[in-house]
């Protein structure tokens, strides 16, 4: 196989993979709370980095052992993602209606900005902030729903080297980063440009409800949705 074709396939599959619905509904719950585009960009990259870490490792294991080592665990990985989506959605709803704030899990700190001083809320249970949270979500997502990586895996058998596979996974990950960054900026820019507090709350609650519903559907055996129909 032409290596350029293989790498081009990897990039396209990575971009497509970033638009799996379970990815979008999960990250939307955090991205809608972003207050600037730079923060959105870095949060998107953090998610993609976490996804790359586990997805790449699983792909290499599948390449070496031909699924024999992970076959029994793939279904459990999907269930973990589903539970995570439900938890993210529930936390987002409780946050929007200030339930967590009232029981003391959130507190406020004043911060100076060019427009003046205002308060940000912080989650007591999170030591790593938004970027660490997005990285962790990406790690969980990298465990499952990797149909595009399996396509890449089959294509890589023609290369027949771990090095070639790693090059493909690296380019795949670049496609994932590109897709998620574009989604993050596309979601955040309208919110920052035109969205007021009421619009932001509506979008946040909708994202949270979608996350819960989609997680329940995955637990019930729903196969999932990818918003880009190309590439399988």
């Amino acid at each position: 196989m032409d290596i350029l074709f293989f790498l081009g396939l990897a990039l396209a599959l990575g971009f497509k993979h970033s638009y799996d619905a379970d990815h979008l509904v999960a990250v939307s719950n955090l991205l809608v709370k972003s207050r600037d585009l730079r923060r959105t960009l870095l949060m998107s990259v953090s998610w993609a980095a976490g996804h790359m870490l586990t997805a790449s490792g699983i792909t290499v294991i599948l390449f070496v052992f031909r699924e024999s080592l992970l076959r029994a665990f793939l279904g459990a990985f999907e269930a973990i993602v589903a539970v995570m989506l439900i938890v993210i959605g529930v936390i987002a709803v409780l946050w929007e209606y200030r339930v967590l704030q009232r029981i003391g899990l959130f507190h406020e700190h004043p911060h100076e900005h060019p427009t003046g001083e205002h308060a940000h809320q912080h989650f007591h249970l999170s030591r790593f902030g938004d970027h660490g949270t997005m990285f962790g979500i990406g790690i969980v997502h990298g465990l499952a729903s990797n149909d595009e990586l399996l396509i890449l895996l089959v294509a890589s058998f023609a290369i027949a080297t771990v090095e070639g596979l790693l090059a493909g996974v690296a380019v795949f990950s670049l496609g994932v980063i590109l897709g998620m960054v574009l989604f993050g900026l596309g979601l955040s820019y309208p919110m920052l440009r035109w969205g007021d507090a009421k619009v932001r709350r509506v979008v946040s609650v909708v994202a949270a409800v979608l996350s819960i519903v989609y997680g329940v559907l995955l637990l019930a055996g729903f196969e999932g949705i990818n918003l880009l129909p190309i590439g399988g």
Side-chain angles (χ1 to χ4, degrees):
M1 178 183 293
D2 185 352
I3 186 64
L4 293 179
F5 174 79
F6 175 69
L7 295 179
L9 174 66
L11 184 67
L13 290 175
F15 187 89
K16 174 185 181 295
H17 181 68
S18 66
Y19 287 88
D20 275 1
D22 62 310
H23 298 164
L24 302 185
V25 296
V27 302
S28 294
N29 284 278
L30 279 80
L31 293 179
V32 295
K33 297 175 176 59
S34 174
R35 299 297 181 178
D36 62 77
L37 293 181
R38 180 177 180 274
R39 181 182 177 191
T40 295
L41 188 151
L42 293 176
M43 289 169 64
S44 301
V45 172
S46 295
W47 175 87
H51 182 284
M52 177 179 63
L53 182 65
T54 46
S56 300
I58 285 178
T59 303
V60 172
I61 292 173
L62 291 174
F63 179 85
V64 174
F65 296 100
R66 302 297 194 270
E67 294 192 39
S68 61
L69 188 63
L70 288 176
R71 186 182 299 275
F73 300 98
L74 294 178
F77 293 159
E78 295 283 354
I80 292 172
V81 170
V83 171
M84 180 187 70
L85 292 177
I86 295 171
V87 171
I88 289 174
V90 170
I91 290 176
V93 170
L94 295 178
W95 186 90
E96 283 299 328
Y97 290 98
R98 302 188 65 83
V99 175
L100 298 178
Q101 293 90 324
R102 286 197 292 270
I103 63 178
L105 291 179
F106 276 93
H107 63 293
E108 293 186 341
H109 291 306
H111 294 273
E112 286 287 347
H113 291 273
T115 56
E117 181 180 282
H118 66 277
H120 288 303
Q121 292 177 339
H122 296 275
F123 195 27
H124 275 294
L125 299 182
S126 176
R127 296 184 178 182
F128 304 106
D130 294 332
H131 303 299
T133 302
M134 290 287 278
F135 183 78
I137 293 173
I139 284 178
V140 176
H141 274 141
L143 295 173
S145 301
N146 290 313
D147 293 341
E148 290 79 15
L149 265 175
L150 293 179
I151 295 173
L152 186 66
L153 180 68
V154 172
S156 69
F157 290 150
I159 295 177
T161 65
V162 175
E163 292 79 7
L165 175 63
L166 289 176
V169 170
V171 176
F172 177 92
S173 299
L174 181 62
V176 171
I177 292 172
L178 177 61
M180 186 52 65
V181 165
L182 290 178
F183 172 76
L185 295 178
L187 176 66
S188 292
Y189 180 76
M191 297 286 293
L192 295 171
R193 184 72 173 81
W194 298 290
D196 57 16
K198 291 182 179 179
V199 171
R200 189 177 294 273
R201 165 164 283 191
V202 169
V203 174
S204 296
V205 171
V206 169
V209 171
L210 287 175
S211 185
I212 295 170
V213 171
Y214 199 79
V216 171
L217 289 175
L218 289 179
L219 286 177
F222 182 63
E223 292 186 358
I225 300 172
N226 188 289
L227 300 185
L228 297 182
I230 61 172

